[in-house]
Amino acid sequence: MPYLPRQITAAHRLFAFIIFTVGFAGCNTLVGDKPDEGQLVYPAPPADARFRQVFELRNSNDILRKTTAERLQQIATGFGNQGITFDKPYAIASRNGRIYVSDTAMRLIHVYDIARRRYFQMGVRREGTVVKPLGLDVDGEGRIYAADASAGRVIVYDPLGLYIGDLNTDKVKFDRPVGVAASRSGDRIYVVDNDGVTSSQHRVLVFDGDRNYVKSIGSRGVEEGQFNMPRDVAVAGDGTVFVLDAGNFRIQAFDREGKFLRSWGGIGNRPGQFARPRAIAADDNGLVYVSDASYGNVQIFNHEGQLLLFIGKFGTTDVPGNFPMIAGIAADEGGRLYVIDQLFKRVSIFSPVTASKPK
C-alpha cells in the first residue's frame, strides 16, 4: 500500500491544500477521477481506489492566510507563528466548508473555515462556554450542537459560533450527555445520555427543532432497542438514526421516531466486528462509518450493515494511515471522511474517488 512521504515539503503541503480548498469551494468531490501517484488510497492497488487521503490538519497554520510581513519574517528568521495545535481532540463535525473539533483538554471547539482560510474558536464566551465537550454535530443549516458531559447540557450555536440556546431540559434531565446528532433540517436532535458503568441510564433522548424534549429511546440491556454504554449517534441523509452501542459491540438502527430497525456487529477481531468502537458517522450516500481504537481503523458499512471497506490501521509511527489512538470521525455533504487521532493530535481527511469513466 503506497504511503505519502514521511517528510512532506512545504511545496507538497501547499499543493495539497490548494487542491483540498478547490474541492470545498467548487464541488462535492475533489478534482480528478483517479488518485494522484503517491497518495494513500483504500483499498490498496490493484483494486480500484474508493478513498484517498487528501490532507492532514494539525494546527491553525495549516489553513491560515499569512500576511506579507509574516511571510517575510519567516523567510528572514526561519521562524514564525507556530499556530494553535490540538491538545486532546475528541469529536469532529464538518459541513459547508467548516471543520469543527471539540478539545476536552483546552475546553473549547476549534473551527477551521477552509474556504476562507480562517481559524477561530467556539465555546469560550459567556452562556456558550463549554467544560468538557464530547459529542459534536452540525446540521444542514449550519447550526452546531455540542454535548458537554461535565456541564450536563447540549449547547446550540449559529453558523458563526454564537450561542443560540440549550436543549430544553424542563421535562428531562441529562445524566451525562456524551454524543449528539441532528437531522439535516435540524427538526430532530438525538442525544446519547450515558451515566457510566454503575448507572441504569443508558438511553437516547430525542428533541425537536425548537429544542424541546420529545421522547426517550431505550434503556440499559442487551435486547433490541436497549443499550450498554452507548458512545455516539449519527443521522443519515434519509433520517435513519444509527447508535454506537459500544458495550454491546454493535450498531443499532432506528427510524426518526425511535422504532428499532436492525442491528449488526459483535465482539471479535474479524471484519465487521468490534473491540473498542469509539465513534460513528453517516453520510448522504448510504454509508455508515465506525472507528475502533483496538484496530486503529474505520470500518465502512452500507445501511444494512454489510462491510464494504476499511480505512487505516493501528501503528505508532507518525505516518499517514496509522491511527494509534483513533477517536472521533465525521462525514460531510461531499462524502469526505474526517478521522481524529489523539496521540498524533491530527485530523486526517479522506475524499471519495470518482469511478473511472469507461473508454
Side-chain angles (χ1 to χ4, degrees):
M1 180 178 297
Y3 285 91
L4 289 170
R6 188 174 179 184
Q7 299 297 328
I8 300 176
T9 67
H12 287 137
R13 291 182 63 80
L14 177 60
F15 177 76
F17 179 72
I18 291 171
I19 297 300
F20 178 55
T21 306
V22 167
F24 267 113
C27 57
N28 282 338
T29 56
L30 296 182
V31 176
D33 291 322
K34 295 182 180 180
D36 296 330
E37 184 177 354
Q39 282 190 316
L40 180 61
V41 298
Y42 295 93
D48 290 338
R50 299 303 180 192
F51 281 87
R52 55 176 165 149
Q53 181 166 329
V54 292
F55 201 66
E56 281 187 353
L57 192 60
R58 294 176 185 261
N59 67 55
S60 57
N61 273 354
D62 288 336
I63 68 162
L64 288 179
R65 179 181 285 109
K66 291 184 174 64
T67 65
T68 301
E70 288 172 333
R71 289 196 298 271
L72 290 174
Q73 179 188 8
Q74 188 163 1
I75 292 171
T77 65
F79 298 97
N81 179 6
Q82 298 303 304
I84 299 171
T85 60
F86 302 116
D87 194 342
K88 192 174 182 180
Y90 186 90
I92 186 167
S94 179
R95 190 159 289 271
N96 301 326
R98 286 181 178 166
I99 302 169
Y100 307 87
V101 180
S102 66
D103 196 314
T104 57
M106 296 179 73
R107 299 187 178 189
L108 53 81
I109 299 167
H110 304 272
V111 184
Y112 296 83
D113 189 335
I114 301 299
R116 295 172 180 81
R117 294 176 64 180
R118 294 177 56 244
Y119 167 86
F120 61 97
Q121 296 172 351
M122 291 171 44
V124 294
R125 298 178 182 174
R126 299 179 181 177
E127 305 99 324
T129 300
V130 294
V131 181
K132 189 174 183 179
L134 294 185
L136 198 63
D137 199 19
V138 56
D139 66 24
E141 303 300 318
R143 292 177 289 258
I144 304 101
Y145 305 82
D148 191 326
S150 292
R153 59 192 293 218
V154 175
I155 308 165
V156 186
Y157 305 90
D158 73 9
L160 297 177
L162 301 177
Y163 175 76
I164 294 177
D166 285 18
L167 296 188
N168 191 336
T169 54
D170 290 343
K171 295 182 179 180
V172 65
K173 299 296 181 185
F174 294 123
D175 290 294
R176 187 171 180 267
V178 298
V180 63
S183 63
R184 299 298 183 265
S185 66
D187 66 339
R188 281 288 185 274
I189 302 108
Y190 303 87
V191 181
V192 175
D193 195 34
N194 171 3
D195 200 26
V197 176
T198 60
S199 172
S200 61
Q201 293 284 35
H202 294 201
R203 57 188 179 172
V204 174
L205 302 176
V206 185
F207 294 79
D208 63 22
D210 294 321
R211 309 194 301 277
N212 294 319
Y213 172 72
V214 175
K215 66 188 302 182
S216 176
I217 303 172
S219 60
R220 189 166 192 180
V222 299
E223 303 299 325
E224 293 180 349
Q226 293 185 315
F227 308 111
N228 181 30
M229 298 297 293
R231 289 187 63 101
D232 201 6
V233 59
V235 182
D238 66 356
T240 304
V241 181
F242 296 94
V243 179
L244 177 55
D245 187 9
N248 287 323
F249 303 95
R250 66 185 178 185
I251 307 302
Q252 296 199 65
F254 301 84
D255 69 14
R256 61 175 272 120
E257 300 304 327
K259 178 184 176 183
F260 174 83
L261 299 176
R262 57 191 169 274
S263 67
W264 71 84
I267 186 170
N269 59 7
R270 307 179 94 180
Q273 296 180 323
F274 308 110
R276 290 176 59 204
R278 295 292 303 273
I280 190 168
D283 66 17
D284 295 343
N285 301 315
L287 300 180
V288 179
Y289 308 80
V290 183
S291 63
D292 195 300
S294 285
Y295 309 135
N297 69 10
V298 178
Q299 296 189 75
I300 305 176
F301 303 87
N302 63 19
H303 267 205
E304 301 303 316
Q306 177 186 4
L307 179 65
L308 305 176
L309 179 68
F310 69 86
I311 287 176
K313 64 182 178 64
F314 186 90
T316 56
T317 304
D318 189 357
V319 296
N322 280 2
F323 298 102
M325 199 175 292
I326 201 167
I329 57 176
D332 69 11
E333 70 274 21
R336 285 173 286 263
L337 172 66
Y338 303 78
V339 183
I340 289 175
D341 186 86
Q342 292 181 321
L343 181 64
F344 296 146
K345 300 182 180 183
R346 72 181 184 204
V347 174
S348 299
I349 305 171
F350 300 84
S351 177
V353 176
T354 305
S356 300
K357 299 179 180 66
K359 296 181 180 180

